[in-house]
Amino acid sequence: MDRLKVDLGARSYEIVIGSGVLKDLGVLLRSLGQASRIMLVTNPTVNDLYGEQLRAGLGVDDKHLILGMIPDGEEYKTMEHALRLIDLAVEHHFDRSSLIITLGGGVIGDLGGFVAAIYQRGIDFVQVPTTLLAMVDSSVGGKVAVNHPRAKNMIGAFHQPRLVLIDTATLKTLSSRDYRSGLAETVKYGIIADRDFFSFLQENAELINRRDETVLQHAIRRSCEIKAAIVEDDERESGVRAILNLGHTFGHAIETCCGYGTYRHGEAVAMGIVLAARLAHRLNLLDTAEKERILALMDALGLNLPIPNLPPQKWLNVMSQDKKVRHGRLRLVLPTAIGQVVIRDDIDPALIEEFLSRPD
Ligand SMILES: NC(=O)c1ccc[n+]([C@@H]2O[C@H](COP(=O)([O-])OP(=O)(O)OC[C@H]3O[C@@H](n4cnc5c(N)ncnc54)[C@H](O)[C@@H]3O)[C@@H](O)[C@H]2O)c1
Ligand SMILES: [Zn+2]
């Protein structure tokens, strides 16, 4: 069992990583103190696979544990479903010492975490991520949200979990699309902050594709360390945290333009990373050898995906509506070398539009 601390003063917490650690949740929770009641937020897919194992490890009797079941899919990450969980909490007399446990991917973590953030002005929650994306990204850092019909993650809060428990054995059942989707966020950390980690991913690409647990545990730990360090510096994204958005401005626009659900979040991010590398190269911010290395790793991990043919003007418009826009200026995170990025808000939109018409 590997443990890592996210140091945020009174909001500090541990990330516990290991294979088969679901069964240890009960012991870990008891060290955090006793919860009056627990709501397990999950979906039927994950509940069928891991619900029993988690409940057995919790060792809580049935009257203290209630199930907050949400249908499987991004389209259920809504205010309506958050309110259903709140109804359930009220009905079962949840109070400020009650706890929410989220068991699932980023959708469940974001939704359950959002409910924890707003119920009685905030109660404790614990993240048990079961997708690679949730393990390396969404479960750490305290961003929780639901979607607005017209914009992703538009209703949300910063609310840190009390604990993140990552059981890498759960990755065995993940679909290859969802697995690859999580890899995109992993590569992101190498590009934004750690050249050695990028090399590690490159050297181990084959083992990663085979889901080798030892290699994965290292990749997950390093990803969490990098994310934790960035969040510790800038919990509420007033500065450096924005570098985590590498690939996301292009990517979110692809998700929105193509309709939610067409691409996985990580697939759109993979496309966004490729586009950011190509644009940075076109702007002479990134040299050819570095760009080629980035593209080669994306290829090796099956992340160099065909980019949909979107009208550049529409694409740019949607990018300009992104949450990452500040004072009306489009902000892009662009690599200048592997391990280094810059945030630029001074790139001529006409130039971006021209790039989007021939993004290769
Ligand atoms: N809060 C943040 O900082 C942050 C960061 C990145 C992404 N996100 C959000 O995360 C969401 C995407 O998360 P995701 O990619 O995990 O998608 P997801 O939660 O929809 O999970 C993908 C699919 O995998 C299934 N699944 C989960 N665990 C499984 C397992 N172990 N075995 C088999 N199937 C399993 C799920 O039921 C689902 O069908 C988006 O809503 C995105 O906005 C949030
Ligand atoms: Zn992301």
Side-chain angles (χ1 to χ4, degrees), residues 1 7 44 56 92 120 147 159 170 177-178 253 255 264 275 278 283 289 340-341 356-357:
M1 205 189 262
D7 199 345
H92 289 268
Q120 297 196 359
N147 297 327
H159 188 58
T170 61
R177 268 190 92 176
D178 285 306
E255 283 181 86
R264 299 286 197 272
L275 289 169
R278 288 184 178 152
L283 296 170
Q340 237 170 38
V341 287
L356 290 172
S357 67

Side-chain angles (χ1 to χ4, degrees), residues 288-323:
T288 306
E290 294 282 273
K291 178 197 77 171
E292 292 303 328
R293 252 191 100 188
I294 293 175
L295 298 185
L297 179 57
M298 298 303 273
D299 266 332
L301 297 175
L303 292 171
N304 202 351
L305 304 168
I307 290 168
N309 199 1
L310 299 171
Q313 174 77 56
K314 182 179 172 201
W315 195 343
L316 188 66
N317 277 344
V318 176
M319 279 169 68
S320 307
Q321 286 158 14
D322 199 80
K323 280 203 301 327

Side-chain angles (χ1 to χ4, degrees), residues 126-139:
V126 166
Q127 293 265 26
V128 186
T130 59
T131 64
L132 183 57
L133 184 131
M135 292 176 187
V136 298
D137 193 1
S138 62
S139 68

Side-chain angles (χ1 to χ4, degrees), residues 43 45-46 49-50 72-74 77 104-108 110 130-131 133-134 137-140 143-144 147 152-153 170-171 173-175 178 181 185 227 241 248 264-265:
N43 72 28
T45 313
V46 182
L49 289 164
Y50 302 108
D72 189 355
E74 176 82 31
K77 202 178 100 174
V107 166
I108 290 296
D110 277 13
T130 59
T131 64
L133 184 131
D137 193 1
S138 62
S139 68
V140 175
K143 278 192 186 177
V144 293
N147 297 327
K152 236 178 101 76
N153 296 332
T170 61
L171 292 174
T173 52
L174 200 58
S175 72
D178 285 306
S181 182
E185 303 277 7
K227 178 145 188 191
R241 186 167 179 166
H248 282 63
R264 299 286 197 272
H265 172 72

